[in-house]
C-alpha cells in the first residue's frame, strides 16, 4: 500500500491524476491511502478503472468537543454519496493519530462517539473495513476492538531498530511500538483478534528523522525494510508517502511528471521486480524461513446454547476449548459474591484455553449473551494440536498472559 496524493477539485487534469495512479501501481502497490481528506471524486473513478484500491479518511477537526464530533459526523455523511458506490473503496478511517480526538484515552464520550460513528458507517457501507483511529489509541469496548484492523504508525531509519520494533509488535506488545499505546479503553485481551497492519512507515528524507536524502540510498533501505515486513507476516503495510510534500522529502514519485524516483516494483510483495531488487542487494538478504508442515485439523463438536445458558463456570475443571461460531458470549468474573462482565466474545473468538494450557480451574464464567453456537475441542485433542505447533503454543501462552493481566487490571480499585 502507499500513502497517496491529495488533489483538490480543479488543481490537476484527469490525465495527470491517471499518471500518478499508474505510477503507484508501478511501484507494486495495490492500494492508495488518501490522507485525512475528502478528495476529488475523479480519484474514485480512476481507481475503479485501473483496479487500484482506495483507503478513505474523514477530514479531521482541530479539537475534541461535542461540536467537533457533530461536524465530523456531518462530514462523514457528506462523503458517503460520493464514495459509497465505488468498488475501489476498501477502507475508511474515522480519525488519524488522535487528530480531533486528542482526549481519546481519557474521554468515554469520545470513545463512545467513535464506536457509534463506526456502527453508523457500517450500516451505510457494510462492505468496507473501518478503522476507528489510525496509528495508535484504537478503542476497545468490552474487550472488542472498534476497528477492523489494528494499525500502527512506526517510523525508524535504522534497520536493526526497525526489526526489533516489528518483533515486539507481532509478539503482542501494544505499549512501546508506536508513539502512543495501540489500544485504549477496556482491556484488550485477544491477540490476533483483527489483522495487524503497519499503516505508516518510511519517513526516509524527513528532516527530523535523518533518513537518506539520495534516491539510491532510500531505495536500498526500502528494500531491506520491506523484506523485514514480509518476514514478520503482517497483513499489510503503507509506505509514507507518494510525493514530496513541504519538508517531507520522502516521495517516490515526481509530483510534476508522475515519473518514478526508485525502481519499479520496489513496494510489491514478491513481484518480479521486487525479486530482482532483492537479488541485487545480497548484503541485506536474510535466509528464508523453513516451510511449515500442514497439520491435520481435529474434529470439533458443534454445540448450541440458548440466551443465558452457562457454557463454562468459574472454578470448575477445564475439559474443552471453545470457538464462537455465531452469536455472542459474556465473560463474567465472580469475586466476593459479585459477578462482573470483563469481556464480550463474538464470532471467531475463543475461550477456555487458559484452564487447558495451565492445567488450572476455570478463571471465569462464560454464558451465552444470545442464542450461540460454538465449536468445542476436547482437552487431549487440544493439547495434541498445540504440541504439533510451536507457534500455536506461543500464541496461546501470550493470549493467556494478556487475559490474566487484564483480569488483574480489572481487580484494581477504581479511582
Amino acid at each position: 500500500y502507499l500513502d497517496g496524493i491529495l488533489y483538490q477539485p480543479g488543481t490537476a487534469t484527469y490525465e495527470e491524476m491517471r499518471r500518478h495512479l499508474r505510477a503507484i501501481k508501478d511501484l507494486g502497490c495495490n492500494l492508495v491511502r488518501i490522507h485525512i481528506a475528502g478528495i476529488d471524486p475523479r480519484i474514485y473513478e480512476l481507481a475503479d478503472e485501473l483496479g487500484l484500491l482506495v483507503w478513505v479518511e474523514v477530514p479531521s477537526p482541530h479539537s475534541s468537543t461535542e461540536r467537533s464530533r457533530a461536524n465530523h459526523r456531518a462530514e462523514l455523511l457528506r462523503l458517503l454519496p460520493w464514495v459509497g458506490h465505488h468498488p475501489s473503496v476498501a477502507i475508511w478511517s474515522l480519525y488519524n493519530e488522535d487528530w480531533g480526538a486528542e482526549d481519546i484515552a481519557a474521554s468515554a464520550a469520545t470513545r463512545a462517539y467513535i464506536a457509534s460513528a463506526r456502527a453508523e458507517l457500517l450500516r451505510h457501507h457494510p462492505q468496507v473495513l473501518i478503522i476507528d483511529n489510525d496509528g495508535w489509541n484504537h478503542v476497545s469496548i468490552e474487550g472488542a476492538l472498534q476497528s477492523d484492523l489494528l494499525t500502527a504508525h512506526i517510523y525508524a531509519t535504522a534497520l536493526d531498530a526497525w526489526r526489533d520494533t516489528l518483533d515486539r509488535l507481532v509478539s503482542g506488545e501494544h505499549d512501546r511500538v508506536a508513539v502512543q499505546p495501540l489500544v485504549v479503553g477496556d482491556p484488550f485481551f485477544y491477540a490476533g483478534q483483527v489483522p495487524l497492519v503497519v499503516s505508516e512507515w518510511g519517513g526516509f528524507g524527513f528532516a527530523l528523522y535523518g533518513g537518506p536524502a539520495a534516491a539510491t540510498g532510500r531505495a536500498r533501505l526500502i528494500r531491506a525494510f520491506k523484506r523485514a515486513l514480509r518476514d514478520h507476516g503482517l497483513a499489510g503495510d503503507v509506505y509514507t508517502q507518494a510525493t514530496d510534500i513541504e519538508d517531507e522529502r520522502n516521495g517516490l514519485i515526481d509530483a510534476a511528471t508522475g515519473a518514478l524516483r526508485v525502481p519499479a516494483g520496489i513496494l510489491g510483495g514478491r513481484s518480479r521486480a521486487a525479486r530482482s531488487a532483492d537479488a541485487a542487494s545480497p548484503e541485506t538478504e536474510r535466509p528464508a524461513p523453513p516451510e511449515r508442515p500442514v497439520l491435520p485439523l481435529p474434529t470439533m463438536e458443534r454445540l448450541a446454547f440458548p440466551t443465558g445458558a452457562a457454557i463454562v463456570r468459574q472454578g470448575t475443571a477445564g475439559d474443552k476449548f471453545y470457538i464462537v461460531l455465531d452469536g455472542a458470549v459474556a465473560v463474567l468474573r465472580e469475586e466476593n459474591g459479585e459477578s462482573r462482565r470483563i469481556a464480550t466474545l463474538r464470532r471467531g473468538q475463543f475461550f477456555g484455553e487458559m484452564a487447558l494450557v495451565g492445567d488450572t480451574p476455570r478463571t471465569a464464567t462464560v454464558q451465552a449473551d444470545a442464542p450461540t453456537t460454538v465449536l468445542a475441542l476436547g482437552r487431549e485433542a487440544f493439547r495434541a494440536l498445540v504440541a504439533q505447533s510451536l507457534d500455536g503454543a506461543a500464541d496461546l501462552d501470550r493470549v493467556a498472559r494478556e487475559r490474566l493481566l487484564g483480569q488483574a487490571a480489572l481487580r484494581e480499585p477504581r479511582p
Side-chain angles (χ1 to χ4, degrees):
Y1 311 150
L2 183 69
D3 252 359
I5 312 151
L6 167 62
Y7 292 105
Q8 296 295 344
T11 62
T13 69
Y14 202 79
E15 189 50 43
E16 286 172 335
M17 296 165 75
R18 184 196 300 273
R19 209 159 48 232
H20 281 140
L21 291 181
R22 284 192 183 279
I24 287 170
K25 292 195 69 174
D26 289 342
L27 287 168
C29 300
N30 60 4
L31 178 146
V32 59
R33 174 178 175 234
I34 308 299
H35 198 29
I36 53 171
I39 56 173
D40 191 319
R42 294 175 294 174
I43 285 285
Y44 307 116
E45 297 169 4
L46 282 167
D48 292 346
E49 173 191 324
L50 297 174
L52 186 66
L53 298 175
V54 176
W55 178 336
V56 176
E57 294 186 334
V58 182
S60 298
H62 291 291
S63 60
S64 181
T65 65
E66 186 174 346
R67 180 180 179 184
S68 75
R69 290 190 285 272
N71 289 340
H72 182 273
R73 179 175 179 270
E75 185 68 8
L76 170 63
L77 296 177
R78 187 188 69 83
L79 283 171
L80 271 170
W82 293 100
V83 178
H85 67 283
H86 287 284
S88 57
V89 176
I91 303 175
W92 278 74
S93 290
L94 298 175
Y95 287 91
N96 174 75
E97 293 185 353
D98 309 347
W99 299 352
E102 295 86 354
D103 58 354
I104 191 170
S107 171
T110 297
R111 296 194 298 273
Y113 167 72
I114 289 173
S116 67
R118 175 177 182 260
E120 184 169 22
L121 177 56
L122 190 60
R123 288 194 298 273
H124 288 288
H125 206 172
Q127 70 271 33
V128 302
L129 300 173
I130 301 172
I131 314 300
D132 53 354
N133 180 49
D134 187 44
W136 51 69
N137 280 343
H138 295 277
V139 176
S140 176
I141 296 179
E142 294 185 0
L145 204 65
Q146 301 301 298
S147 182
D148 293 316
L149 302 174
L150 182 59
T151 63
H153 292 180
I154 302 174
Y155 287 102
T157 54
L159 186 56
D160 287 344
W162 175 244
R163 288 172 175 158
D164 175 68
T165 303
L166 293 180
D167 286 342
R168 291 187 282 108
L169 177 66
V170 300
S171 73
E173 186 171 322
H174 291 168
D175 289 339
R176 296 187 303 113
V177 294
V179 173
Q180 299 289 339
L182 291 193
V183 182
V184 295
D186 298 325
F188 181 63
F189 299 99
Y190 318 111
Q193 187 186 89
V194 297
L196 184 61
V197 173
V198 176
S199 55
E200 284 189 22
W201 67 276
F204 316 133
F206 283 22
L208 294 177
Y209 297 167
T216 52
R218 191 175 307 164
R220 190 178 306 113
L221 206 53
I222 288 172
R223 289 184 184 123
F225 272 50
K226 188 69 180 183
R227 274 195 296 274
L229 285 163
R230 290 196 299 267
D231 289 346
H232 285 80
L234 294 159
D237 63 273
V238 182
Y239 178 84
T240 304
Q241 56 213 25
T243 63
D244 291 345
I245 298 175
E246 297 177 344
D247 64 333
E248 298 182 0
R249 313 298 296 175
N250 60 322
L252 307 184
I253 301 169
D254 186 282
T257 66
L260 297 187
R261 293 177 169 177
V262 293
I266 195 170
L267 293 177
R270 296 303 297 166
S271 66
R272 181 181 302 173
R275 290 195 296 271
S276 298
D278 287 349
S281 303
E283 71 279 4
T284 55
E285 278 290 355
R286 304 180 80 188
E291 292 188 4
R292 297 179 182 178
V294 178
L295 303 177
L297 292 177
T299 301
M300 301 188 76
E301 185 180 6
R302 186 181 180 119
L303 304 173
F305 295 89
T307 302
I311 303 173
V312 303
R313 290 194 180 277
Q314 183 174 327
T316 61
D319 60 344
K320 287 185 176 69
F321 168 75
Y322 299 90
I323 300 174
V324 181
L325 189 60
D326 59 54
V329 300
V331 182
L332 307 172
R333 178 77 179 179
E334 300 170 14
E335 288 187 349
N336 302 321
E338 180 182 354
S339 180
R340 184 176 178 188
R341 180 188 292 257
I342 59 174
T344 301
L345 306 183
R346 297 178 176 85
R347 178 179 175 85
Q349 296 177 288
F350 59 85
F351 61 94
E353 82 293 338
M354 291 174 66
L356 302 183
V357 170
D359 199 19
T360 58
R362 301 287 191 194
T363 60
T365 294
V366 181
Q367 70 180 33
D369 245 2
T372 297
T373 304
V374 300
L375 296 176
L377 185 64
R379 175 201 297 266
E380 297 310 317
F382 170 81
R383 288 182 169 176
L385 183 64
V386 172
Q388 294 177 70
S389 170
L390 293 175
D391 287 344
D395 288 342
L396 285 167
D397 180 66
R398 184 178 70 249
V399 172
R401 284 187 282 108
E402 288 180 359
R403 289 182 174 175
L404 287 170
L405 288 171
Q407 291 178 10
L410 286 169
R411 286 197 296 270
E412 294 179 356
R414 292 180 178 178

